[in-house]
Amino acid sequence: MDQTAEPESSRTKQQELHEAVDWHLALQDSRYTKGRRRLVQVLSDAGRPLTLPEIASHRADLPQSSAYRNLDVLERAGVIRRITHSGDHAYFELAEPFVDHHHHLVCIECGQMEDIHLDEDVEQLVDTGLRRAAERVGFTPLHHSLDLHGYCAECEADME
Amino acid sequence: MDQTAEPESSRTKQQELHEAVDWHLALQDSRYTKGRRRLVQVLSDAGRPLTLPEIASHRADLPQSSAYRNLDVLERAGVIRRITHSGDHAYFELAEPFVDHHHHLVCIECGQMEDIHLDEDVEQLVDTGLRRAAERVGFTPLHHSLDLHGYCAECEADME
DNA sequence: TTGCTTGCAAATGATTTGCACTGCT
DNA sequence: AGCAGTGCAAATCATTTGCAAGCAA
């Protein structure tokens, strides 16, 4: 009761994902172990950034230290991205080669993050503007992050 | 040797700043004490986000607990903003009513942040795009944050 | 059998908090 | 007086690390 109920195309994407991750890890003499595969699977299924406790709740048997260590390995390998915004826990999501470029809605009440996408032309303008500003001060740009902070529907409702 | 060498206009701005902060704090039955004034002054002078150690280096006599507590008070009062990006320390800067809307260059090597400004029309497009995405999921937007991550000139040079 | 992994327990370190004292108002 | 602010020391708590044992090439 795990890899059933998935449409054919999705199953293929999963395979591709894991193969690609395997390859990335191999480049660093790291192995794609069961624990690491679990992490990638959970993050892939979630479709939004998760904290370590959230990840653990999906997979009961995840020793914290190993989870943190593996998230670190995966981050160094460029497989996942660590996001920190004021709040107790860091959030983790699949990195860009493995998911589309996107941004986040960040709830300042509960911390939850949700993925959103912007039009390609807006992305272009933003990127150009940032690149220009970076050039002015000799800054070497790698990637941008753009988040909208506010209240998620649930928290907004809870505030009556 | 403290408030000299400042152009006349700047001196006035400082006064306005402190008066405004005083007012904001008063709204919360908080006093604008010497310690709090120091924090605001240092952040205002810096013109870029600072960590607590950085703030302390400007003002030797700043007990950590008091500094953290006052930064918290100032944050609640809407005077300053706390920024956290992967890295050991949180960064603090004056909040938006007290400084122009801006974004940051974030060095992923040393953590330093630098302020940058984008064209007004790009800001508009971004805001509109984000607002649209937020509406779709019933998210109540407050403000956006946009950072460019990469290597600052100094760190880039250090990597030879 | 060499070297990456794992998981437990212990350490780290930024930030927070308890408490007694100071100082406005 | 009465309550906000201060600073020291101690507590918190997410994350990291040491180490001995497990596992894959």
Short mmCIF file of all heavy atoms in Angstrom, two decimals, chain B residues 18-64:
data_model
loop_
_atom_site.label_atom_id
_atom_site.label_comp_id
_atom_site.label_asym_id
_atom_site.label_seq_id
_atom_site.Cartn_x
_atom_site.Cartn_y
_atom_site.Cartn_z
N HIS B 18 13.89 59.12 15.59
CA HIS B 18 13.75 58.84 17.02
C HIS B 18 12.39 59.26 17.56
O HIS B 18 11.81 58.58 18.39
CB HIS B 18 14.88 59.52 17.79
CG HIS B 18 16.22 58.87 17.57
ND1 HIS B 18 16.45 57.54 17.87
CD2 HIS B 18 17.38 59.34 17.06
CE1 HIS B 18 17.70 57.23 17.56
NE2 HIS B 18 18.30 58.31 17.07
N GLU B 19 11.90 60.37 17.03
CA GLU B 19 10.57 60.79 17.49
C GLU B 19 9.51 59.77 17.08
O GLU B 19 8.63 59.42 17.86
CB GLU B 19 10.21 62.16 16.88
CG GLU B 19 10.72 63.34 17.69
CD GLU B 19 10.67 64.63 16.90
OE1 GLU B 19 9.77 64.77 16.05
OE2 GLU B 19 11.55 65.50 17.12
N ALA B 20 9.63 59.30 15.85
CA ALA B 20 8.67 58.32 15.36
C ALA B 20 8.74 57.03 16.16
O ALA B 20 7.72 56.43 16.53
CB ALA B 20 8.92 58.03 13.88
N VAL B 21 9.96 56.61 16.47
CA VAL B 21 10.14 55.38 17.24
C VAL B 21 9.54 55.57 18.63
O VAL B 21 8.83 54.71 19.14
CB VAL B 21 11.64 55.02 17.37
CG1 VAL B 21 11.82 53.87 18.35
CG2 VAL B 21 12.20 54.64 16.01
N ASP B 22 9.82 56.72 19.20
CA ASP B 22 9.30 57.04 20.52
C ASP B 22 7.78 56.88 20.52
O ASP B 22 7.19 56.26 21.40
CB ASP B 22 9.68 58.49 20.87
CG ASP B 22 9.41 58.79 22.33
OD1 ASP B 22 9.17 57.83 23.10
OD2 ASP B 22 9.44 59.97 22.70
N TRP B 23 7.16 57.41 19.50
CA TRP B 23 5.73 57.35 19.37
C TRP B 23 5.23 55.91 19.29
O TRP B 23 4.29 55.51 19.98
CB TRP B 23 5.32 58.15 18.12
CG TRP B 23 3.85 58.13 17.86
CD1 TRP B 23 3.20 57.46 16.88
CD2 TRP B 23 2.86 58.81 18.61
NE1 TRP B 23 1.86 57.68 16.95
CE2 TRP B 23 1.61 58.51 18.02
CE3 TRP B 23 2.89 59.66 19.74
CZ2 TRP B 23 0.41 59.02 18.50
CZ3 TRP B 23 1.69 60.16 20.21
CH2 TRP B 23 0.46 59.84 19.61
N HIS B 24 5.87 55.13 18.42
CA HIS B 24 5.47 53.72 18.26
C HIS B 24 5.58 52.96 19.58
O HIS B 24 4.72 52.15 19.90
CB HIS B 24 6.36 53.04 17.21
CG HIS B 24 5.84 53.20 15.82
ND1 HIS B 24 5.36 52.14 15.09
CD2 HIS B 24 5.71 54.28 15.04
CE1 HIS B 24 4.97 52.56 13.91
NE2 HIS B 24 5.16 53.87 13.84
N LEU B 25 6.64 53.23 20.30
CA LEU B 25 6.82 52.52 21.56
C LEU B 25 5.77 52.96 22.57
O LEU B 25 5.24 52.13 23.33
CB LEU B 25 8.23 52.77 22.11
CG LEU B 25 9.34 52.03 21.39
CD1 LEU B 25 10.71 52.46 21.90
CD2 LEU B 25 9.18 50.52 21.55
N ALA B 26 5.48 54.22 22.56
CA ALA B 26 4.49 54.75 23.51
C ALA B 26 3.16 54.04 23.33
O ALA B 26 2.45 53.79 24.30
CB ALA B 26 4.34 56.25 23.31
N LEU B 27 2.84 53.71 22.09
CA LEU B 27 1.58 53.03 21.82
C LEU B 27 1.48 51.69 22.53
O LEU B 27 0.41 51.13 22.69
CB LEU B 27 1.41 52.81 20.30
CG LEU B 27 1.14 54.06 19.46
CD1 LEU B 27 1.07 53.66 17.99
CD2 LEU B 27 -0.16 54.70 19.91
N GLN B 28 2.63 51.14 22.92
CA GLN B 28 2.62 49.85 23.61
C GLN B 28 3.04 50.02 25.06
O GLN B 28 3.51 49.07 25.68
CB GLN B 28 3.57 48.87 22.95
CG GLN B 28 3.84 49.15 21.49
CD GLN B 28 3.67 47.92 20.68
OE1 GLN B 28 4.13 46.86 21.09
NE2 GLN B 28 2.98 48.03 19.57
N ASP B 29 2.89 51.22 25.58
CA ASP B 29 3.29 51.47 26.96
C ASP B 29 4.73 51.08 27.18
O ASP B 29 5.08 50.56 28.24
CB ASP B 29 2.39 50.69 27.94
CG ASP B 29 0.93 51.07 27.78
OD1 ASP B 29 0.63 52.26 27.94
OD2 ASP B 29 0.11 50.18 27.49
N SER B 30 5.55 51.28 26.16
CA SER B 30 6.97 51.00 26.32
C SER B 30 7.73 52.31 26.26
O SER B 30 7.32 53.25 25.61
CB SER B 30 7.45 50.08 25.19
OG SER B 30 6.84 48.82 25.29
N ARG B 31 8.85 52.33 26.95
CA ARG B 31 9.63 53.57 26.98
C ARG B 31 10.78 53.50 25.99
O ARG B 31 11.31 52.43 25.72
CB ARG B 31 10.20 53.78 28.38
CG ARG B 31 9.12 53.89 29.43
CD ARG B 31 9.72 53.88 30.82
NE ARG B 31 8.69 53.70 31.83
CZ ARG B 31 8.91 53.17 33.03
NH1 ARG B 31 10.12 52.78 33.38
NH2 ARG B 31 7.93 53.04 33.89
N TYR B 32 11.14 54.64 25.47
CA TYR B 32 12.27 54.69 24.54
C TYR B 32 13.51 54.97 25.38
O TYR B 32 13.95 56.12 25.49
CB TYR B 32 12.04 55.78 23.51
CG TYR B 32 12.94 55.65 22.29
CD1 TYR B 32 13.50 54.43 21.94
CD2 TYR B 32 13.21 56.74 21.49
CE1 TYR B 32 14.30 54.32 20.83
CE2 TYR B 32 14.02 56.64 20.38
CZ TYR B 32 14.57 55.42 20.05
OH TYR B 32 15.37 55.31 18.94
N THR B 33 14.07 53.92 25.92
CA THR B 33 15.22 54.06 26.83
C THR B 33 16.53 54.23 26.07
O THR B 33 16.59 54.08 24.86
CB THR B 33 15.34 52.82 27.72
OG1 THR B 33 15.57 51.69 26.88
CG2 THR B 33 14.07 52.61 28.51
N LYS B 34 17.55 54.49 26.84
CA LYS B 34 18.86 54.73 26.23
C LYS B 34 19.32 53.50 25.45
O LYS B 34 19.81 53.62 24.32
CB LYS B 34 19.88 55.06 27.33
CG LYS B 34 21.08 55.83 26.83
CD LYS B 34 22.21 55.83 27.84
CE LYS B 34 21.88 56.70 29.06
NZ LYS B 34 23.06 56.86 29.94
N GLY B 35 19.14 52.33 26.04
CA GLY B 35 19.56 51.10 25.37
C GLY B 35 18.83 50.91 24.04
O GLY B 35 19.44 50.50 23.05
N ARG B 36 17.56 51.19 24.03
CA ARG B 36 16.77 51.02 22.81
C ARG B 36 17.17 52.06 21.77
O ARG B 36 17.24 51.77 20.58
CB ARG B 36 15.28 51.12 23.15
CG ARG B 36 14.83 49.93 23.97
CD ARG B 36 13.44 50.05 24.54
NE ARG B 36 13.19 48.93 25.45
CZ ARG B 36 12.09 48.80 26.18
NH1 ARG B 36 11.13 49.70 26.14
NH2 ARG B 36 11.95 47.74 26.98
N ARG B 37 17.44 53.25 22.23
CA ARG B 37 17.85 54.30 21.32
C ARG B 37 19.18 53.93 20.66
O ARG B 37 19.38 54.13 19.46
CB ARG B 37 17.99 55.63 22.07
CG ARG B 37 18.38 56.81 21.21
CD ARG B 37 18.43 58.09 22.03
NE ARG B 37 17.12 58.55 22.44
CZ ARG B 37 16.42 59.48 21.79
NH1 ARG B 37 16.93 60.05 20.70
NH2 ARG B 37 15.24 59.85 22.21
N ARG B 38 20.05 53.34 21.46
CA ARG B 38 21.34 52.92 20.91
C ARG B 38 21.15 51.91 19.79
O ARG B 38 21.76 52.01 18.73
CB ARG B 38 22.17 52.24 22.01
CG ARG B 38 22.96 53.17 22.85
CD ARG B 38 24.01 52.37 23.64
NE ARG B 38 24.44 53.13 24.80
CZ ARG B 38 24.38 52.70 26.05
NH1 ARG B 38 23.91 51.50 26.31
NH2 ARG B 38 24.80 53.45 27.03
N LEU B 39 20.29 50.93 20.03
CA LEU B 39 20.05 49.91 19.01
C LEU B 39 19.55 50.55 17.72
O LEU B 39 20.04 50.25 16.63
CB LEU B 39 19.01 48.89 19.52
CG LEU B 39 19.48 47.97 20.64
CD1 LEU B 39 18.31 47.15 21.17
CD2 LEU B 39 20.58 47.04 20.13
N VAL B 40 18.56 51.41 17.85
CA VAL B 40 18.00 52.07 16.67
C VAL B 40 19.06 52.88 15.95
O VAL B 40 19.16 52.85 14.73
CB VAL B 40 16.82 52.97 17.07
CG1 VAL B 40 16.40 53.85 15.90
CG2 VAL B 40 15.64 52.12 17.54
N GLN B 41 19.88 53.56 16.74
CA GLN B 41 20.92 54.39 16.14
C GLN B 41 21.92 53.55 15.35
O GLN B 41 22.27 53.88 14.22
CB GLN B 41 21.66 55.17 17.24
CG GLN B 41 22.60 56.23 16.69
CD GLN B 41 21.86 57.30 15.93
OE1 GLN B 41 20.94 57.91 16.46
NE2 GLN B 41 22.23 57.51 14.67
N VAL B 42 22.36 52.47 15.96
CA VAL B 42 23.33 51.60 15.28
C VAL B 42 22.74 51.04 13.99
O VAL B 42 23.39 51.06 12.94
CB VAL B 42 23.76 50.43 16.20
CG1 VAL B 42 24.61 49.43 15.41
CG2 VAL B 42 24.54 50.96 17.39
N LEU B 43 21.50 50.57 14.06
CA LEU B 43 20.88 50.00 12.87
C LEU B 43 20.68 51.08 11.80
O LEU B 43 20.86 50.82 10.61
CB LEU B 43 19.53 49.36 13.23
CG LEU B 43 19.63 48.09 14.06
CD1 LEU B 43 18.25 47.57 14.43
CD2 LEU B 43 20.39 47.01 13.29
N SER B 44 20.34 52.26 12.23
CA SER B 44 20.14 53.35 11.28
C SER B 44 21.46 53.72 10.61
O SER B 44 21.52 53.92 9.39
CB SER B 44 19.56 54.56 12.01
OG SER B 44 19.54 55.68 11.16
N ASP B 45 22.52 53.79 11.40
CA ASP B 45 23.83 54.14 10.85
C ASP B 45 24.35 53.09 9.89
O ASP B 45 24.97 53.40 8.88
CB ASP B 45 24.85 54.31 11.99
CG ASP B 45 24.58 55.56 12.82
OD1 ASP B 45 23.81 56.41 12.36
OD2 ASP B 45 25.15 55.67 13.92
N ALA B 46 24.10 51.84 10.22
CA ALA B 46 24.65 50.73 9.43
C ALA B 46 24.15 50.74 7.99
O ALA B 46 24.90 50.52 7.05
CB ALA B 46 24.34 49.40 10.09
N GLY B 47 22.85 50.97 7.82
CA GLY B 47 22.31 50.97 6.47
C GLY B 47 22.26 49.59 5.84
O GLY B 47 22.10 49.44 4.64
N ARG B 48 22.44 48.59 6.66
CA ARG B 48 22.32 47.21 6.18
C ARG B 48 22.01 46.36 7.41
O ARG B 48 22.29 46.78 8.53
CB ARG B 48 23.62 46.73 5.52
CG ARG B 48 24.77 46.63 6.50
CD ARG B 48 26.04 46.15 5.80
NE ARG B 48 27.13 45.99 6.77
CZ ARG B 48 27.29 44.92 7.53
NH1 ARG B 48 26.46 43.91 7.43
NH2 ARG B 48 28.27 44.86 8.39
N PRO B 49 21.44 45.19 7.21
CA PRO B 49 21.08 44.35 8.36
C PRO B 49 22.32 43.93 9.14
O PRO B 49 23.36 43.65 8.55
CB PRO B 49 20.41 43.14 7.70
CG PRO B 49 19.90 43.64 6.39
CD PRO B 49 20.95 44.62 5.94
N LEU B 50 22.18 43.91 10.45
CA LEU B 50 23.29 43.52 11.33
C LEU B 50 22.89 42.38 12.24
O LEU B 50 21.73 42.24 12.60
CB LEU B 50 23.70 44.71 12.20
CG LEU B 50 24.21 45.98 11.53
CD1 LEU B 50 24.52 47.03 12.59
CD2 LEU B 50 25.45 45.68 10.70
N THR B 51 23.88 41.59 12.63
CA THR B 51 23.63 40.53 13.62
C THR B 51 23.84 41.13 15.00
O THR B 51 24.40 42.22 15.13
CB THR B 51 24.61 39.36 13.45
OG1 THR B 51 25.93 39.85 13.68
CG2 THR B 51 24.52 38.77 12.07
N LEU B 52 23.47 40.41 16.01
CA LEU B 52 23.66 40.93 17.35
C LEU B 52 25.14 41.16 17.66
O LEU B 52 25.50 42.20 18.19
CB LEU B 52 23.07 40.00 18.40
CG LEU B 52 23.12 40.68 19.75
CD1 LEU B 52 21.75 41.14 20.18
CD2 LEU B 52 23.78 39.84 20.78
N PRO B 53 26.02 40.21 17.33
CA PRO B 53 27.44 40.46 17.55
C PRO B 53 27.93 41.71 16.84
O PRO B 53 28.73 42.47 17.38
CB PRO B 53 28.11 39.21 16.98
CG PRO B 53 27.07 38.15 17.09
CD PRO B 53 25.76 38.84 16.87
N GLU B 54 27.43 41.93 15.64
CA GLU B 54 27.84 43.13 14.90
C GLU B 54 27.37 44.38 15.62
O GLU B 54 28.11 45.36 15.74
CB GLU B 54 27.27 43.10 13.48
CG GLU B 54 27.99 42.13 12.56
CD GLU B 54 27.31 42.00 11.21
OE1 GLU B 54 26.09 42.26 11.12
OE2 GLU B 54 27.97 41.63 10.25
N ILE B 55 26.13 44.35 16.08
CA ILE B 55 25.61 45.49 16.82
C ILE B 55 26.45 45.73 18.06
O ILE B 55 26.84 46.86 18.36
CB ILE B 55 24.14 45.25 17.23
CG1 ILE B 55 23.26 45.14 15.99
CG2 ILE B 55 23.65 46.36 18.14
CD1 ILE B 55 21.83 44.72 16.30
N ALA B 56 26.75 44.65 18.74
CA ALA B 56 27.52 44.76 19.98
C ALA B 56 28.91 45.34 19.72
O ALA B 56 29.46 46.06 20.55
CB ALA B 56 27.63 43.39 20.65
N SER B 57 29.48 45.02 18.58
CA SER B 57 30.82 45.49 18.27
C SER B 57 30.83 47.02 18.11
O SER B 57 31.86 47.66 18.31
CB SER B 57 31.35 44.83 17.00
OG SER B 57 30.74 45.39 15.87
N HIS B 58 29.69 47.58 17.75
CA HIS B 58 29.61 49.03 17.64
C HIS B 58 29.46 49.68 19.01
O HIS B 58 29.85 50.82 19.22
CB HIS B 58 28.39 49.43 16.78
CG HIS B 58 28.59 49.20 15.32
ND1 HIS B 58 28.96 50.19 14.45
CD2 HIS B 58 28.49 48.08 14.57
CE1 HIS B 58 29.06 49.70 13.23
NE2 HIS B 58 28.79 48.42 13.27
N ARG B 59 28.84 48.98 19.90
CA ARG B 59 28.55 49.50 21.22
C ARG B 59 28.99 48.46 22.23
O ARG B 59 28.24 47.54 22.55
CB ARG B 59 27.04 49.71 21.36
CG ARG B 59 26.49 50.77 20.40
CD ARG B 59 27.03 52.10 20.82
NE ARG B 59 26.20 53.20 20.35
CZ ARG B 59 26.22 54.39 20.95
NH1 ARG B 59 26.97 54.58 22.01
NH2 ARG B 59 25.49 55.37 20.48
N ALA B 60 30.16 48.61 22.73
CA ALA B 60 30.76 47.59 23.59
C ALA B 60 29.87 47.21 24.78
O ALA B 60 29.75 46.04 25.12
CB ALA B 60 32.11 48.08 24.11
N ASP B 61 29.24 48.20 25.37
CA ASP B 61 28.49 47.95 26.59
C ASP B 61 27.04 47.54 26.34
O ASP B 61 26.12 48.25 26.67
CB ASP B 61 28.50 49.20 27.46
CG ASP B 61 27.97 50.39 26.66
OD1 ASP B 61 28.09 50.36 25.42
OD2 ASP B 61 27.43 51.31 27.28
N LEU B 62 26.85 46.38 25.73
CA LEU B 62 25.50 45.93 25.44
C LEU B 62 25.27 44.52 25.94
O LEU B 62 25.58 43.57 25.24
CB LEU B 62 25.25 45.98 23.93
CG LEU B 62 24.46 47.15 23.40
CD1 LEU B 62 24.51 47.19 21.90
CD2 LEU B 62 23.03 47.06 23.88
N PRO B 63 24.76 44.38 27.13
CA PRO B 63 24.48 43.04 27.66
C PRO B 63 23.59 42.29 26.69
O PRO B 63 22.57 42.81 26.24
CB PRO B 63 23.74 43.32 28.96
CG PRO B 63 24.13 44.70 29.35
CD PRO B 63 24.36 45.42 28.06
N GLN B 64 23.98 41.08 26.35
CA GLN B 64 23.24 40.30 25.37
C GLN B 64 21.75 40.19 25.68
O GLN B 64 20.93 40.48 24.82
CB GLN B 64 23.82 38.88 25.32
CG GLN B 64 25.17 38.80 24.68
CD GLN B 64 25.32 37.53 23.87
OE1 GLN B 64 24.43 36.68 23.85
NE2 GLN B 64 26.44 37.39 23.20
#
